[in-house]
Amino acid sequence: MTSKKNGYLWGAIAGVSIATAAVAGAGVGKPDATLDRSMLLKASTAPIFAPPPGAPLSFADIFEKVSPAVVSINVTSKVDAASLRRQIPGLPFDIVPRGVPDGDDEDEGGKTEKGQPRLPTQQSSGSGFFISADGYIVTNNHVVENADEIKVVLKDERELDAVVVGRDEGTDLAVLKVKGGNFPFVNFENSAKPRVGDWVITVGNPFGLGGTATAGIISAYGRDIGETFVDYIQIDAPINRGNSGGPTFDVYGRVIGVNTAIFSPSGGSVGIGFAIPADVADATTKQLISGGKITRGYIGASIQNFTTEMADALDMPGQKGAIVADLVPGGPSAKAGLMPGDVVVAVNGVTVKTSSELTREVAKARAGDTLRVEVLRDGKRRTVDIRSGVRPTEKELAANDNSGSPRSGGGTTGPSVQLPAVLGLKLTPLDEAARTRLNIDTPLRGVVVDSVDQSSDAAQRGLRKNDVITVAGGRPVTSASEFSSAVDAAKKSGRPSILIGVYRAGRTTFLPLKVSG
């Protein structure tokens, strides 16, 4: 099970237990002799009302048409040793089995010829669907990413071995292939986009039960659930664990989305599900089939949402966009002249209102393409031309992301000397001794946080000892007095807060601090 966001978003991949419930029969007695029979209505063979246009009397015809193309996916994978230690607290390191080299045979005692114990395996299941007669199947990446063996079960109960053609972590999509031909398949619908409120039907493998249909409506488009490259469709058709990778159909039996996540405190359906739109899924799977991997544009910049508080702090009320927090040294943005603190408002003429929108626009580029990036700097609009690179994989980016953002909080210790406090912060120079102590070997300039008043807004925002403040109010700061002057200027201008840049563990983050109240 993969938690998507705050413990409530789950990839809908099946668990191993099935709950059953007994339904009690209700006794029916005779009507009371004094009942006013004038209130009784005679049954009629005609419907009480005619459904409005667009409301089907039944989804049976749709299910009969599309269900043969939907498959159940059963995955066998090895249990990760680290997860074993988490599940069994205190487990000694020396008894956790290591992996078995290829070609080693297991004896009756569960060990290989070399005497190494074999890692236990686990079973999981999901859903998928054929998109071609020659055996290509679409599913979610999280269903098959750690698979050692993949079995695909068709509606006619045939079981086929499948191999992974390609996976994309960015969209959580994967393509499988089975041997054979003349398979029933379905098509993505990219042109006729259903409206919010239109009927949809989902088919999948909830809790390992096999082909199951549920119906509902599209609740919303453009849902951001914390993923980078997808604006999700929200649907209210029940989706449960095991539905991951299954299709969502319109009333014509065309695929309008790929089920991927649910919102649920318990792991079961509460009526809120999310699907990858058909146009994204279609484009991604075609690339995976043709090349086995996805390449995306890259500008080498860390970005954040430019929030309402940030806009007020910079006297830009109502401004939307993405603020540049940091640059990769020698990367495309650094070479082009983009600067930390720039607020990106458009890419190639397309307005961006959030960091996710900026990332998606950049991702559309190919390596070598020129991106015309419009930014606000010092209150003026500028254009920076950036030559796109190739985006690293999500794992490579995660390995290089030493996040520890200021909002993560953390305790502080008292200062060794008495220093004047500004907004609850006591600051010291970033001198050579501090650089050595903090292991900062970059040409970073700023002022070091020596202590934080725990009753201050700075503490609530997560600032802590040894953070380095690099920017305040749109200007670099290298001393406590420069920081204090920037705060005074924000107060005199009547701004409610001041925007600061905070460097921690190799990464800069921007956040607003209240200057009064």
mmCIF file of all heavy atoms in Angstrom, residues 379-401:
data_model
loop_
_atom_site.group_PDB
_atom_site.id
_atom_site.type_symbol
_atom_site.label_atom_id
_atom_site.label_comp_id
_atom_site.label_asym_id
_atom_site.label_seq_id
_atom_site.Cartn_x
_atom_site.Cartn_y
_atom_site.Cartn_z
ATOM 1 N N GLY A 379 9.663 43.699 -8.926
ATOM 2 C CA GLY A 379 8.414 44.316 -9.341
ATOM 3 C C GLY A 379 8.275 44.515 -10.835
ATOM 4 O O GLY A 379 7.253 45.042 -11.296
ATOM 5 N N LYS A 380 9.268 44.115 -11.618
ATOM 6 C CA LYS A 380 9.231 44.301 -13.070
ATOM 7 C C LYS A 380 9.163 42.957 -13.785
ATOM 8 O O LYS A 380 9.744 41.976 -13.341
ATOM 9 C CB LYS A 380 10.466 45.074 -13.540
ATOM 10 C CG LYS A 380 10.561 46.477 -12.952
ATOM 11 C CD LYS A 380 11.820 47.184 -13.441
ATOM 12 C CE LYS A 380 11.935 48.581 -12.832
ATOM 13 N NZ LYS A 380 13.169 49.269 -13.302
ATOM 14 N N ARG A 381 8.469 42.946 -14.901
ATOM 15 C CA ARG A 381 8.333 41.725 -15.690
ATOM 16 C C ARG A 381 9.529 41.572 -16.620
ATOM 17 O O ARG A 381 9.891 42.504 -17.330
ATOM 18 C CB ARG A 381 7.030 41.763 -16.491
ATOM 19 C CG ARG A 381 6.531 40.406 -16.967
ATOM 20 C CD ARG A 381 5.197 40.556 -17.667
ATOM 21 N NE ARG A 381 4.589 39.280 -18.023
ATOM 22 C CZ ARG A 381 3.618 38.683 -17.370
ATOM 23 N NH1 ARG A 381 3.113 39.269 -16.289
ATOM 24 N NH2 ARG A 381 3.127 37.529 -17.773
ATOM 25 N N ARG A 382 10.125 40.391 -16.622
ATOM 26 C CA ARG A 382 11.286 40.102 -17.465
ATOM 27 C C ARG A 382 11.080 38.760 -18.148
ATOM 28 O O ARG A 382 10.294 37.927 -17.692
ATOM 29 C CB ARG A 382 12.579 40.043 -16.638
ATOM 30 C CG ARG A 382 12.877 41.294 -15.821
ATOM 31 C CD ARG A 382 13.990 41.001 -14.821
ATOM 32 N NE ARG A 382 14.272 42.150 -13.965
ATOM 33 C CZ ARG A 382 15.266 42.997 -14.136
ATOM 34 N NH1 ARG A 382 16.108 42.822 -15.151
ATOM 35 N NH2 ARG A 382 15.444 44.010 -13.309
ATOM 36 N N THR A 383 11.821 38.532 -19.233
ATOM 37 C CA THR A 383 11.798 37.246 -19.923
ATOM 38 C C THR A 383 13.189 36.631 -19.902
ATOM 39 O O THR A 383 14.172 37.288 -20.248
ATOM 40 C CB THR A 383 11.332 37.404 -21.388
ATOM 41 O OG1 THR A 383 10.011 37.936 -21.400
ATOM 42 C CG2 THR A 383 11.319 36.056 -22.098
ATOM 43 N N VAL A 384 13.251 35.382 -19.471
ATOM 44 C CA VAL A 384 14.512 34.642 -19.427
ATOM 45 C C VAL A 384 14.381 33.440 -20.349
ATOM 46 O O VAL A 384 13.465 32.619 -20.188
ATOM 47 C CB VAL A 384 14.838 34.172 -17.987
ATOM 48 C CG1 VAL A 384 16.167 33.420 -17.970
ATOM 49 C CG2 VAL A 384 14.874 35.348 -17.023
ATOM 50 N N ASP A 385 15.263 33.327 -21.330
ATOM 51 C CA ASP A 385 15.268 32.189 -22.253
ATOM 52 C C ASP A 385 16.162 31.083 -21.690
ATOM 53 O O ASP A 385 17.363 31.294 -21.469
ATOM 54 C CB ASP A 385 15.776 32.607 -23.632
ATOM 55 C CG ASP A 385 14.803 33.529 -24.345
ATOM 56 O OD1 ASP A 385 13.601 33.478 -24.024
ATOM 57 O OD2 ASP A 385 15.242 34.314 -25.207
ATOM 58 N N ILE A 386 15.562 29.921 -21.446
ATOM 59 C CA ILE A 386 16.284 28.807 -20.822
ATOM 60 C C ILE A 386 16.300 27.623 -21.781
ATOM 61 O O ILE A 386 15.246 27.208 -22.282
ATOM 62 C CB ILE A 386 15.628 28.392 -19.493
ATOM 63 C CG1 ILE A 386 15.552 29.591 -18.537
ATOM 64 C CG2 ILE A 386 16.398 27.242 -18.852
ATOM 65 C CD1 ILE A 386 14.811 29.291 -17.253
ATOM 66 N N ARG A 387 17.472 27.075 -22.005
ATOM 67 C CA ARG A 387 17.618 25.891 -22.859
ATOM 68 C C ARG A 387 17.373 24.653 -22.002
ATOM 69 O O ARG A 387 18.091 24.376 -21.046
ATOM 70 C CB ARG A 387 19.020 25.847 -23.467
ATOM 71 C CG ARG A 387 19.216 24.759 -24.524
ATOM 72 C CD ARG A 387 20.640 24.830 -25.066
ATOM 73 N NE ARG A 387 20.933 23.796 -26.028
ATOM 74 C CZ ARG A 387 20.671 23.874 -27.324
ATOM 75 N NH1 ARG A 387 20.110 24.977 -27.812
ATOM 76 N NH2 ARG A 387 20.964 22.896 -28.144
ATOM 77 N N SER A 388 16.350 23.900 -22.342
ATOM 78 C CA SER A 388 15.925 22.773 -21.516
ATOM 79 C C SER A 388 16.936 21.638 -21.523
ATOM 80 O O SER A 388 17.549 21.319 -22.550
ATOM 81 C CB SER A 388 14.573 22.238 -21.997
ATOM 82 O OG SER A 388 14.197 21.075 -21.287
ATOM 83 N N GLY A 389 17.083 21.016 -20.356
ATOM 84 C CA GLY A 389 17.849 19.786 -20.240
ATOM 85 C C GLY A 389 16.890 18.602 -20.142
ATOM 86 O O GLY A 389 15.716 18.717 -20.484
ATOM 87 N N VAL A 390 17.383 17.452 -19.672
ATOM 88 C CA VAL A 390 16.560 16.255 -19.490
ATOM 89 C C VAL A 390 16.349 16.034 -17.998
ATOM 90 O O VAL A 390 17.309 15.982 -17.219
ATOM 91 C CB VAL A 390 17.235 15.010 -20.105
ATOM 92 C CG1 VAL A 390 16.394 13.769 -19.841
ATOM 93 C CG2 VAL A 390 17.436 15.204 -21.599
ATOM 94 N N ARG A 391 15.099 15.921 -17.591
ATOM 95 C CA ARG A 391 14.772 15.750 -16.186
ATOM 96 C C ARG A 391 15.296 14.404 -15.672
ATOM 97 O O ARG A 391 15.043 13.357 -16.284
ATOM 98 C CB ARG A 391 13.260 15.827 -15.988
ATOM 99 C CG ARG A 391 12.818 15.733 -14.525
ATOM 100 C CD ARG A 391 11.300 15.812 -14.426
ATOM 101 N NE ARG A 391 10.852 15.618 -13.059
ATOM 102 C CZ ARG A 391 10.762 16.580 -12.157
ATOM 103 N NH1 ARG A 391 11.069 17.827 -12.499
ATOM 104 N NH2 ARG A 391 10.341 16.322 -10.933
ATOM 105 N N PRO A 392 16.016 14.419 -14.525
ATOM 106 C CA PRO A 392 16.437 13.142 -13.922
ATOM 107 C C PRO A 392 15.219 12.337 -13.468
ATOM 108 O O PRO A 392 14.102 12.852 -13.390
ATOM 109 C CB PRO A 392 17.284 13.593 -12.715
ATOM 110 C CG PRO A 392 17.662 15.012 -13.009
ATOM 111 C CD PRO A 392 16.530 15.580 -13.797
ATOM 112 N N THR A 393 15.436 11.067 -13.144
ATOM 113 C CA THR A 393 14.342 10.235 -12.645
ATOM 114 C C THR A 393 13.909 10.737 -11.273
ATOM 115 O O THR A 393 14.641 11.467 -10.587
ATOM 116 C CB THR A 393 14.775 8.770 -12.524
ATOM 117 O OG1 THR A 393 15.786 8.656 -11.508
ATOM 118 C CG2 THR A 393 15.305 8.246 -13.843
ATOM 119 N N GLU A 394 12.710 10.326 -10.864
ATOM 120 C CA GLU A 394 12.196 10.754 -9.562
ATOM 121 C C GLU A 394 13.094 10.259 -8.429
ATOM 122 O O GLU A 394 13.286 10.954 -7.434
ATOM 123 C CB GLU A 394 10.770 10.229 -9.366
ATOM 124 C CG GLU A 394 9.792 10.696 -10.437
ATOM 125 C CD GLU A 394 9.794 12.211 -10.601
ATOM 126 O OE1 GLU A 394 9.567 12.927 -9.622
ATOM 127 O OE2 GLU A 394 10.029 12.676 -11.740
ATOM 128 N N LYS A 395 13.661 9.062 -8.573
ATOM 129 C CA LYS A 395 14.556 8.544 -7.536
ATOM 130 C C LYS A 395 15.837 9.362 -7.460
ATOM 131 O O LYS A 395 16.362 9.630 -6.379
ATOM 132 C CB LYS A 395 14.875 7.071 -7.799
ATOM 133 C CG LYS A 395 13.717 6.121 -7.522
ATOM 134 C CD LYS A 395 14.119 4.674 -7.705
ATOM 135 C CE LYS A 395 12.964 3.742 -7.382
ATOM 136 N NZ LYS A 395 13.345 2.302 -7.556
ATOM 137 N N GLU A 396 16.366 9.756 -8.617
ATOM 138 C CA GLU A 396 17.580 10.572 -8.625
ATOM 139 C C GLU A 396 17.313 11.934 -8.004
ATOM 140 O O GLU A 396 18.136 12.455 -7.241
ATOM 141 C CB GLU A 396 18.082 10.732 -10.059
ATOM 142 C CG GLU A 396 18.662 9.460 -10.652
ATOM 143 C CD GLU A 396 18.939 9.585 -12.140
ATOM 144 O OE1 GLU A 396 18.348 10.476 -12.801
ATOM 145 O OE2 GLU A 396 19.740 8.788 -12.657
ATOM 146 N N LEU A 397 16.158 12.519 -8.302
ATOM 147 C CA LEU A 397 15.822 13.805 -7.710
ATOM 148 C C LEU A 397 15.647 13.683 -6.210
ATOM 149 O O LEU A 397 16.085 14.537 -5.447
ATOM 150 C CB LEU A 397 14.538 14.353 -8.340
ATOM 151 C CG LEU A 397 14.650 14.835 -9.788
ATOM 152 C CD1 LEU A 397 13.274 15.156 -10.335
ATOM 153 C CD2 LEU A 397 15.553 16.066 -9.871
ATOM 154 N N ALA A 398 14.994 12.591 -5.774
ATOM 155 C CA ALA A 398 14.783 12.392 -4.343
ATOM 156 C C ALA A 398 16.104 12.198 -3.615
ATOM 157 O O ALA A 398 16.299 12.677 -2.498
ATOM 158 C CB ALA A 398 13.867 11.189 -4.107
ATOM 159 N N ALA A 399 17.057 11.497 -4.260
ATOM 160 C CA ALA A 399 18.359 11.268 -3.635
ATOM 161 C C ALA A 399 19.135 12.561 -3.454
ATOM 162 O O ALA A 399 19.926 12.712 -2.521
ATOM 163 C CB ALA A 399 19.166 10.293 -4.478
ATOM 164 N N ASN A 400 18.898 13.522 -4.353
ATOM 165 C CA ASN A 400 19.595 14.806 -4.272
ATOM 166 C C ASN A 400 18.840 15.855 -3.474
ATOM 167 O O ASN A 400 19.314 16.973 -3.308
ATOM 168 C CB ASN A 400 19.838 15.364 -5.679
ATOM 169 C CG ASN A 400 20.821 14.521 -6.448
ATOM 170 O OD1 ASN A 400 21.728 13.933 -5.863
ATOM 171 N ND2 ASN A 400 20.637 14.431 -7.759
ATOM 172 N N ASP A 401 17.641 15.489 -2.969
ATOM 173 C CA ASP A 401 16.809 16.457 -2.260
ATOM 174 C C ASP A 401 17.015 16.313 -0.763
ATOM 175 O O ASP A 401 16.396 15.496 -0.115
ATOM 176 C CB ASP A 401 15.335 16.224 -2.618
ATOM 177 C CG ASP A 401 14.425 17.215 -1.919
ATOM 178 O OD1 ASP A 401 14.946 18.206 -1.395
ATOM 179 O OD2 ASP A 401 13.206 16.990 -1.913
#
